[in-house]
Amino acid sequence: MKLAILSRAPKAYSTQRLRTAALDRGHDVKVLNTLRFAIDLSGPEPDLQFRGRTLSDYDAILPRVGASVTYFGTAVVRQFEQMDVYTPNTANGISNSRDKLRATQILSRHQIGMPATTFVRNRADVLPAIERVGGAPVVIKLLEGTQGIGVILAPDTKVAEAIIETLQSTSQNVLIQSFVKESKGRDIRALVVGDRVVAAMRRTAQGDEFRSNVHRGGSVQGVTLDPAFEQAAVRSAQIMGLRVAGVDMLEGADGPLVMEVNSSPGLEGIEAATKLDVAGAIIDYIGNQVAFPEIDVRQRLTVSTGYGVAELVVHGGADLVGKTIAESGLEDRDITVLTLHRGTTVIPNPRRRTALEPQDRLLCFGKLEEMRSMIPERRRRRDKVRKLPKEPIHEP
Ligand SMILES: Nc1ncnc2c1ncn2[C@@H]1O[C@H](COP(=O)(O)OP(=O)(O)O)[C@@H](O)[C@H]1O
Ligand SMILES: [Mg+2]
């Protein structure tokens, strides 16, 4: 294949390793400076120039977009997507993972363990927010920090309030997170490629530092992950739209707590700690996937009028429970089941003989009018966990 590594650091360890791994496997590979592209929307089709010239044909790109150039970098990646060039990490995936709050919001509906997190703006809401995540000590994070910079441990409420106020007064948005004490300055970095963890390490902070980032002096050690950690890492990366990702997890008392998903994970620390060929695994994966450029399913499938995708939920006691997909009557109504989500597992292209269980979620393609009647009423979010307030609360 012909591969372009988008990077501003051709000499960096990770770039060199990826380039060498590609060459070793007989691929044609170039490292192209992300900032030297020009996005060209002047012709009949989306196009790209590089250093002032029309770009030659590439089969795949591997974006290594630095945090300081997220906007331009993701615009370039998006342009490649429009040109049907394969990328393991989508522009959306990269920008969503860059913002710690946005990433947490996206992951929060998928039963993935995460440290309790909250985000507020008004001064009056700060104290209740700190209480909501369990009170001090709390962790305060800049939304777009990396390498441990912008992650602060506030020992008590007063200090926490002062820090939050100071940062907000300089227009910095911060999230407030419970401090996971039991992780004791340690965390797990899992390197996800496709649907598996290819390498994992434990990072341990130096001295009394609580941040275990390598850039903050953390030491690293290869580890074999428990299935729960492996699953949390793979699912987080996939939900974010990243096929190459470094997933950071704390070791909580009840299992993995995902902190963030990195779209351009460094390879030096993890290859040194595990002695594994991570770069090779990434290149092999891209080589296998090249034929499948990213398709925005919803966008493409809704082109035919009246048809679209929708998620149907099988309710306990409803007429679908216990029936197979063949017996469900969906086919007669011109509805095709694309995937079946059951708890945290996904069954792609479920067989017609698959029996439906309560709470199964069916991702379907079909006539929107036919599906409308089957979409459950919007879930009342308070139903499950409602604690009745003493007095009615009137939201302004
Ligand atoms: N809620 C938390 N509880 C305990 N330690 C934390 C928490 N959040 C972050 N840390 C520590 O701080 C480090 C950096 O946090 P992280 O959110 O990954 O930011 P960055 O993007 O700067 O790496 C983590 O690797 C972990 O060691
Ligand atoms: Mg991190």
Side-chain angles (χ1 to χ4, degrees):
M1 72 174 156
K2 185 161 167 169
L3 171 72
I5 299 171
L6 309 190
S7 168
R8 286 206 297 154
K11 301 251 154 54
Y13 175 92
S14 303
T15 321
Q16 287 290 334
R17 282 282 300 131
L18 290 161
R19 184 174 167 275
T20 309
L23 288 173
D24 287 350
R25 285 158 174 76
H27 299 302
D28 181 357
V29 57
K30 292 265 177 334
V31 177
L32 304 180
N33 181 342
T34 319
L35 297 187
R36 293 305 310 272
F37 283 96
I39 290 167
D40 184 359
L41 303 168
S42 64
E45 284 185 21
D47 207 354
L48 275 167
Q49 321 273 316
F50 184 71
R51 290 183 181 272
R53 297 229 199 108
T54 300
L55 185 72
S56 54
D57 276 329
Y58 281 89
D59 301 305
I61 57 166
L62 175 54
R64 306 274 310 172
V65 174
S68 58
V69 296
T70 301
Y71 190 85
F72 192 81
T74 52
V76 171
V77 173
R78 193 177 305 113
Q79 191 76 352
F80 275 107
E81 288 171 34
Q82 301 306 317
M83 294 161 66
D84 284 339
V85 177
Y86 175 77
T87 176
N89 289 353
T90 60
N92 272 341
I94 297 168
S95 32
N96 286 342
S97 64
R98 275 292 137 80
D99 179 318
K100 288 179 171 44
L101 176 72
R102 206 188 285 174
T104 309
Q105 286 180 292
I106 292 171
L107 293 177
S108 66
R109 67 177 294 169
H110 295 276
Q111 293 109 39
I112 286 173
M114 289 187 290
T117 301
T118 174
F119 183 62
V120 295
R121 187 55 201 269
N122 195 295
R123 217 173 140 164
D125 296 323
V126 169
L127 207 56
I130 294 172
E131 293 310 320
R132 195 155 49 235
V133 299
V138 286
V139 175
I140 298 164
K141 291 187 188 181
L142 294 182
L143 297 195
E144 307 204 1
T146 60
Q147 307 181 344
I149 300 163
V151 177
I152 308 163
L153 179 59
D156 61 63
T157 312
K158 274 270 157 294
V159 176
E161 273 190 303
I163 294 170
I164 293 163
E165 223 171 275
T166 308
L167 290 168
Q168 287 187 338
S169 71
T170 58
S171 306
Q172 310 244 40
N173 281 317
V174 293
L175 55 80
I176 304 169
Q177 198 165 72
S178 69
F179 174 52
V180 181
K181 284 188 209 62
E182 65 267 27
S183 202
K184 295 188 208 71
R186 306 190 314 178
D187 75 350
I188 298 285
R189 158 61 64 93
L191 214 304
V192 176
V193 177
D195 52 13
R196 65 192 187 97
V197 171
V198 298
M201 62 180 176
R202 178 175 285 122
R203 302 182 295 193
T204 307
Q206 203 179 32
D208 55 8
E209 173 63 61
F210 82 104
R211 297 165 298 177
S212 48
N213 302 68
V214 176
H215 287 93
R216 303 268 73 75
S219 59
V220 296
Q221 181 197 0
V223 285
T224 313
L225 292 187
D226 283 348
F229 281 76
E230 202 160 319
Q231 218 199 17
V234 171
R235 290 189 63 235
S236 303
Q238 295 196 328
I239 292 161
M240 295 304 294
L242 301 172
R243 300 290 172 265
V244 173
V247 181
D248 292 348
M249 295 171 281
L250 292 166
E251 296 170 89
D254 299 319
L257 297 170
V258 173
M259 282 180 297
E260 63 164 351
V261 184
N262 296 277
S263 60
S264 301
L267 303 185
E268 191 165 10
I270 198 147
E271 287 195 337
T274 61
K275 307 276 181 283
L276 291 168
D277 179 10
V278 177
I282 294 174
I283 298 298
D284 286 340
Y285 178 77
I286 296 174
N288 280 327
Q289 298 296 312
V290 152
F292 304 108
E294 196 64 31
I295 293 176
D296 185 329
V297 177
R298 192 147 199 161
Q299 213 178 70
R300 303 267 178 108
L301 289 183
T302 44
V303 173
S304 33
T305 346
Y307 280 78
V309 279
E311 189 174 65
L312 311 179
V313 181
V314 177
H315 279 292
D319 16 329
L320 286 181
V321 176
K323 286 192 180 147
T324 63
I325 292 179
E327 295 160 351
S328 67
L330 292 169
E331 275 172 18
D332 301 337
R333 303 169 78 168
D334 201 14
I335 298 170
T336 308
V337 182
L338 305 172
T339 58
L340 190 162
H341 290 246
R342 182 169 288 164
T344 55
T345 58
V346 182
I347 306 170
N349 271 341
R351 300 286 129 192
R352 300 179 71 243
R353 60 175 181 276
T354 311
L356 297 173
E357 295 179 7
Q359 300 311 319
D360 279 354
R361 284 171 295 132
L362 307 172
L363 184 69
C364 296
F365 176 67
K367 264 211 183 85
L368 292 171
E369 260 330 300
E370 286 292 340
M371 294 193 289
R372 188 186 303 281
S373 62
M374 308 181 64
I375 290 178
E377 248 183 82
R378 279 183 58 75
R379 180 167 63 109
R380 299 264 303 269
R381 43 190 285 271
R382 295 288 172 214
D383 281 357
K384 261 194 297 185
V385 285
R386 178 150 215 156
K387 288 186 207 115
L388 280 179
K390 291 201 181 69
E391 299 162 47
I393 295 170
H394 298 289
E395 288 169 20

